[in-house]
Amino acid sequence: MENKPATTIRILNADILDITRDELLRRLDRGVLVTPNVDHLVKLQSDPEFLRIYRQAEWVVCDSKIIQIMSRMLRRPFPEAIPGSSFFTAFYRYHKDDPDCRIFLLGAAEGVALKAMDNINRAMGRDIVVGAHSPSFGFEKNDEECRGITEIINRSGATVVLVGVGAPKQEKWIDRWKDQMPGVRLWMALGATIDFEAGTLQRAPMAFRKIGMEWFYRFVKEPRRLFRRYFIDDMKFFIYFTRQLLGSYKDPFA
């Protein structure tokens, strides 16, 4: 594995890698991958455990087109946004013929992870996904269930695990349990990616993605669930970022 890229761009209190998708595909081999978006950056202002996990992660990449656009106001912008959902597709295609890449999917509603596994394996022509499991609601609070999940993953022989149960739950679960699975070299915290791969959720049309409006497409699909997140909580990001531009932003945990 090549060394982790040293160059980062500071957005609020997060150091995010200055990296392209192609470079990430070439270099990503082991460690923990997290993909900050606007919602994550807001949560990092009030959750010290989440911030600690972010700062310890080997790979912190810009997931959000909005953040990438906003970064143009900084001295050095991100070269591109790398949405986790589309990156995962590129990742398993890149490793299609790599026998050491054996993926496990953890997350989504009952049966969805298995559907995603079937879709991916059929498309790749081999069982690159070696296991899938949809945990119960609140599983992260049940140590017995979590230990059972670690045993399932260990038995699968997976070297890569995608955890898609929402932030910060997925990142905190990885941080707590990853040492129980020594055969796994790469962890990915990638939200709704399993649903996208299963076809139970559809990504926004490319026109929405190019202008940073994928969030609005998702809101239209799920207005009740996403209204508070997008129109109340996440609006704080723009206040914090304006302070950063003005030199008055202060890391609450510094």
Side-chain angles (χ1 to χ4, degrees), residues 39 72 78 80 98 121 142 144 198-199:
D39 187 63
R72 295 172 186 170
F78 293 107
E80 61 182 299
D98 177 4
N121 288 343
N142 185 330
E144 183 178 355

Side-chain angles (χ1 to χ4, degrees), residues 13 43-49 51 55 249-254:
N13 54 353
K43 285 181 168 66
L44 291 173
Q45 309 310 303
S46 59
D47 189 333
E49 182 185 4
L51 180 62
R55 289 183 171 169
Y249 168 78
K250 293 183 179 180
D251 180 351
F253 303 111

Side-chain angles (χ1 to χ4, degrees), residues 69-109:
I69 291 171
M70 298 286 283
S71 75
R72 295 172 186 170
M73 290 183 271
L74 302 175
R75 184 177 301 174
R76 188 176 74 254
F78 293 107
E80 61 182 299
I82 309 174
S85 51
S86 59
F87 175 76
F88 179 65
T89 305
F91 176 84
Y92 66 69
R93 288 176 177 169
Y94 185 83
H95 290 278
K96 176 181 178 181
D97 299 317
D98 177 4
D100 292 328
C101 181
R102 300 183 297 277
I103 301 169
F104 192 97
L105 305 177
L106 176 63

Side-chain angles (χ1 to χ4, degrees), residues 6 16 19-20 33 53 95 98 102 112 130 132 184 188 204-205 219 239 243 249 251:
I16 305 174
I19 194 169
T20 64
L33 170 71
I53 292 167
H95 290 278
D98 177 4
R102 300 183 297 277
V112 173
V130 295
V184 178
M188 298 180 172
F219 166 72
I239 298 173
R243 290 175 182 169
Y249 168 78
D251 180 351

Side-chain angles (χ1 to χ4, degrees), residues 9-251:
I9 298 170
R10 172 63 67 97
I11 303 289
L12 306 186
N13 54 353
D15 292 314
I16 305 174
L17 290 170
D18 179 9
I19 194 169
T20 64
R21 191 191 75 160
D22 288 347
E23 183 182 0
L24 183 62
L25 282 172
R26 292 194 304 270
R27 304 184 70 154
L28 185 64
D29 178 68
R30 64 183 64 246
V32 176
L33 170 71
V34 296
T35 57
N37 56 29
V38 168
D39 187 63
H40 293 193
L41 289 173
V42 171
K43 285 181 168 66
L44 291 173
Q45 309 310 303
S46 59
D47 189 333
E49 182 185 4
F50 193 30
L51 180 62
R52 174 188 61 78
I53 292 167
Y54 251 67
R55 289 183 171 169
Q56 291 177 348
E58 289 81 2
W59 304 93
V60 183
V61 302
C62 177
D63 174 271
S64 168
K65 185 67 174 179
I66 293 175
I67 295 173
Q68 192 264 331
I69 291 171
M70 298 286 283
S71 75
R72 295 172 186 170
M73 290 183 271
L74 302 175
R75 184 177 301 174
R76 188 176 74 254
F78 293 107
E80 61 182 299
I82 309 174
S85 51
S86 59
F87 175 76
F88 179 65
T89 305
F91 176 84
Y92 66 69
R93 288 176 177 169
Y94 185 83
H95 290 278
K96 176 181 178 181
D97 299 317
D98 177 4
D100 292 328
C101 181
R102 300 183 297 277
I103 301 169
F104 192 97
L105 305 177
L106 176 63
E110 185 176 355
V112 173
L114 289 171
K115 175 65 173 173
M117 178 176 72
D118 289 343
N119 288 350
I120 294 168
N121 288 343
R122 190 179 308 111
M124 293 300 95
R126 77 171 179 97
D127 290 344
I128 190 170
V129 180
V130 295
H133 180 75
S134 296
S136 68
F137 182 79
F139 78 101
E140 74 282 359
K141 300 173 185 176
N142 185 330
D143 283 359
E144 183 178 355
E145 181 174 357
C146 289
R147 281 191 289 270
I149 292 170
T150 67
E151 292 172 4
I152 293 170
I153 292 173
N154 283 331
R155 287 198 301 268
S156 75
T159 58
V160 178
V161 175
L162 185 162
V163 183
V165 295
K169 183 190 300 187
Q170 59 200 12
E171 291 84 0
K172 291 180 179 181
W173 191 88
I174 291 170
D175 181 68
R176 180 175 178 188
W177 294 98
K178 61 183 174 66
D179 290 343
Q180 304 301 313
M181 293 158 280
V184 178
R185 66 170 186 260
L186 177 61
W187 294 89
M188 298 180 172
L190 294 181
T193 298
I194 296 172
D195 290 279
F196 291 131
E197 293 292 341
T200 54
L201 281 180
Q202 298 297 320
R203 288 204 67 190
M206 185 58 70
F208 282 80
R209 290 185 247 167
K210 284 184 176 180
I211 62 173
M213 292 293 287
E214 184 168 11
W215 67 271
F216 185 74
Y217 179 87
R218 292 186 65 185
F219 166 72
V220 171
K221 296 290 185 180
E222 300 180 89
R224 182 171 295 183
R225 184 176 75 86
L226 295 174
F227 178 82
R228 179 175 181 84
R229 170 178 166 178
Y230 287 152
F231 291 99
I232 298 177
D233 296 339
D234 288 0
M235 289 298 106
K236 298 173 186 176
F237 167 77
F238 300 98
I239 298 173
Y240 298 139
F241 188 74
T242 298
R243 290 175 182 169
Q244 178 175 342
L245 293 176
L246 296 174
S248 60
Y249 168 78
K250 293 183 179 180
D251 180 351

